[in-house]
Amino acid sequence: MKQILITLMILFSTSTLAEGQLTKNKQLVIDFYTDVVLAEDATHIDKYLGPRYIQHNPMVANGKEGLRALLRSLPKRDKSAGPSGEIVRVIAEGDLVVLHVKSYHWPQPNGGAIVDIFRVENGKIVEHWDVIQAIPEQAKNTNTMF
């Protein structure tokens, strides 16, 4: 009986620690996306990205400089109008955090639905994947993409 209680305590403790780490990872990615991507502001990149940043989007180079170059290439917009989109959902499992994002004006005038996947290691974002779908003028159903 004592062994069962010890095992349950270890499992509960590990689960609680894991939940705490998931919460930290989610907040890191939310803050990064808000401060850097949605604000289109490269000045905070070093705060959030690890020294080795692997990029899986074939249109963006690896590393922090690849992200900086992407942000520089974006059309200039009036930043006083607010962010360029919004985070709709956040999902985390293990070392991965997934964002479901509504982009207001990109990749088409109607915006886009984006799924970004980030891998977090030692409190920094170290890897990124994404899938981007333009929001059409007319949908063939009454569901939204969000």
Side-chain angles (χ1 to χ4, degrees):
M1 182 67 163
K2 184 178 178 182
Q3 184 60 37
I4 292 171
L5 286 175
I6 291 171
T7 302
L8 287 174
M9 288 172 56
I10 291 170
L11 289 173
F12 179 75
S13 174
T14 303
S15 174
T16 303
L17 288 174
E19 284 299 316
Q21 191 59 55
L22 287 177
T23 299
K24 287 178 184 177
N25 289 352
K26 286 164 98 174
Q27 193 60 58
L28 171 76
V29 171
I30 290 168
D31 291 346
F32 162 75
Y33 212 87
T34 302
D35 293 348
V36 175
V37 179
L38 294 178
E40 298 174 10
D41 184 352
T43 61
H44 302 288
I45 285 175
D46 291 327
K47 177 180 176 181
Y48 297 108
L49 300 186
R52 182 168 176 255
Y53 177 65
I54 302 166
Q55 177 62 254
H56 293 277
N57 180 320
M59 306 307 290
V60 182
N62 275 331
K64 296 175 186 180
E65 288 310 313
L67 183 56
R68 284 187 179 96
L70 171 69
L71 292 172
R72 280 192 303 269
S73 76
L74 296 175
K76 298 297 177 216
R77 64 176 188 84
D78 180 7
K79 292 184 182 178
S80 67
S84 60
E86 66 182 289
I87 299 168
V88 178
R89 286 180 188 80
V90 182
I91 303 164
E93 178 179 87
D95 60 354
L96 300 176
V97 177
V98 179
L99 300 182
H100 183 198
V101 176
K102 179 178 184 180
S103 176
Y104 297 144
H105 310 288
W106 183 86
Q108 297 292 329
N110 286 340
I114 303 170
V115 174
D116 281 290
I117 305 169
F118 298 93
R119 186 168 66 84
V120 177
E121 184 177 275
N122 299 322
K124 297 283 187 176
I125 297 168
V126 296
E127 198 162 5
H128 171 254
W129 299 259
D130 60 5
V131 180
I132 303 164
Q133 181 178 10
I135 298 173
E137 285 288 327
Q138 300 243 334
K140 296 193 184 229
N141 59 57
T142 58
N143 306 318
T144 72
M145 295 174 76
F146 306 97

